[in-house]
């Protein structure tokens, strides 16, 4: 993206600002050759509602070895390199978003996959919930002489939504989904539309179990996210032939369970169309003797069920799951309250509880 040279994809110095802007502006033709929806009277600008750049160019710790071979950045003294890199990369990302809005799309909301605030995935460290230094450097770094930041130009962020194989082994995947959303929501009010995939990101790209796939779509909404970028790798499908990957046969059943979670949510469309608020209700795990509000990382540490809610106009939509259930028939009874409302729910196995009530 930032350079056509080998090793230069992480190099903000490889192209001048003007050359970089010209390159991005040339993509305005996508409305003709890709979206087929050029805005009336515009110069080849697409009328899509949302546009996200799938970029992963930001180094959390700058290193010259990632620069293009002839990059001007290689001539910067080592003691000044980090600051120069931060300045240039923040400016390039700002230009990316600004130029996209000016030349590529007409009125669309624009975001980028990377960076996240503070990080894209894996926020089990409790420090990430409370320590400002946990934020990724670009989130607060000035992106120009007007002192504005990258976050001043993006319309949404895309944190979290991915799994590693150890999430499946430890059965803590849904805790990770929620921890990533909670941490990013804590540090930024920018709307979240996470990128989600129902296979592990590390090899062998194992499909996630049905209950986790269903829980992912439900709890993403319960986190207050505005939607999800749901994707899979591109494979050419041939009629009457299996789709293979390395050369394992692809299994898309996990997608059906993810969609099943969305179907369950659709039964509450009238609620979801209101101006609701995502909340963490108080939960008693001891029959009502004591109540606590625990974030996802704390629940994971204690292997406790996850309970989250949306509230709107005297109504509450509640979701709960026990990811650490020891069997399909294991039952756990919880007392849940929010404000003056209180109720008792029972979880069975790893089934996702979803219910609505008036408070």
């Amino acid at each position: 993206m930032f350079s056509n040279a080998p090793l230069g994809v992480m190099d903000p110095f490889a192209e001048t600002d003007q050359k970089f802007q010209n390159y991005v502006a040339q993509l305005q033709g996508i409305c003709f050759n890709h979206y087929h929806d050029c805005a009336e009277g515009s110069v080849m600008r697409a009328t899509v509602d949302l546009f996200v750049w799938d970029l992963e160019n930001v180094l959390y710790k700058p290193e010259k070895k990632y620069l293009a071979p002839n990059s001007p950045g290689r001539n910067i003294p080592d003691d000044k390199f980090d600051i120069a890199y931060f300045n240039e990369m923040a400016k390039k990302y700002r230009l990316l978003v600004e130029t996209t809005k000016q030349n590529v799309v007409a009125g669309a909301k624009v975001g980028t996959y990377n960076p996240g605030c503070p990080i894209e995935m894996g926020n089990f460290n409790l420090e990430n919930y409370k320590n400002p230094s946990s934020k990724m450097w670009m989130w607060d770094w000035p992106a120009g002489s007007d002192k504005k930041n990258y976050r001043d130009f993006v319309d949404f962020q895309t944190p979290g939504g991915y799994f590693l194989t150890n999430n499946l082994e430890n059965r803590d995947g849904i805790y990770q989904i929620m921890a990533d959303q909670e941490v990013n929501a804590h540090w930024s009010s920018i709307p979240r539309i996470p990128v989600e995939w129902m296979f592990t990101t590390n090899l062998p790209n194992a499909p996630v179990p049905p209950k986790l796939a269903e829980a992912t779509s439900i709890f993403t909404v319960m986190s207050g996210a505005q939607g999800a970028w749901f994707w899979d790798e591109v494979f050419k499908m041939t009629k009457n032939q299996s789709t293979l990957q390395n050369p394992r046969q692809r299994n898309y059943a996990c997608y059906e369970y993810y969609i099943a979670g969305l179907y369950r949510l659709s039964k509450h469309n009238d609620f979801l169309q209101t101006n609701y608020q995502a909340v963490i209700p108080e939960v008693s795990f001891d029959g009502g003797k004591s109540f606590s509000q625990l974030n996802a990382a704390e629940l994971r540490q204690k292997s406790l069920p996850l309970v989250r809610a949306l509230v709107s106009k005297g109504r509450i939509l509640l979701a709960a799951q026990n990811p650490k259930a020891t069997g399909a028939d294991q039952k756990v009874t919880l007392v849940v309250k929010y404000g003056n409302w209180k109720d008792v729910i029972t979880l069975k196995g790893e089934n996702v509880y979803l219910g609505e009530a008036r408070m």
Side-chain angles (χ1 to χ4, degrees), residues 223-284:
S223 76
Q226 299 297 300
W229 296 95
F230 194 51
W231 78 288
D232 196 79
E233 296 180 81
V234 176
F235 293 94
K236 183 177 180 180
M237 296 195 178
T238 305
K239 186 177 181 179
N240 297 325
Q241 291 188 19
S242 298
T243 298
L244 302 179
Q245 182 192 28
N246 296 332
R248 183 175 53 82
Q249 184 169 343
R250 200 77 157 136
N251 186 334
Y252 289 96
C254 50
Y255 277 50
E256 297 182 28
Y257 288 99
Y258 183 100
I259 294 170
L262 295 179
Y263 175 73
R264 292 183 63 187
L265 284 168
S266 74
K267 295 180 180 295
H268 303 275
N269 271 347
D270 59 334
F271 180 99
L272 295 171
Q273 289 172 359
T274 67
N275 187 24
Y276 58 79
Q277 176 188 5
V279 301
I280 298 179
E282 295 181 77
V283 180
S284 174

Side-chain angles (χ1 to χ4, degrees), residues 51-67:
F51 186 96
V52 64
W53 284 97
D54 186 6
L55 295 177
E56 303 175 39
N57 296 54
V58 183
L59 290 171
Y60 283 62
K61 184 181 183 302
E63 295 184 63
K64 289 186 178 181
K65 68 180 181 180
Y66 293 104
L67 302 183

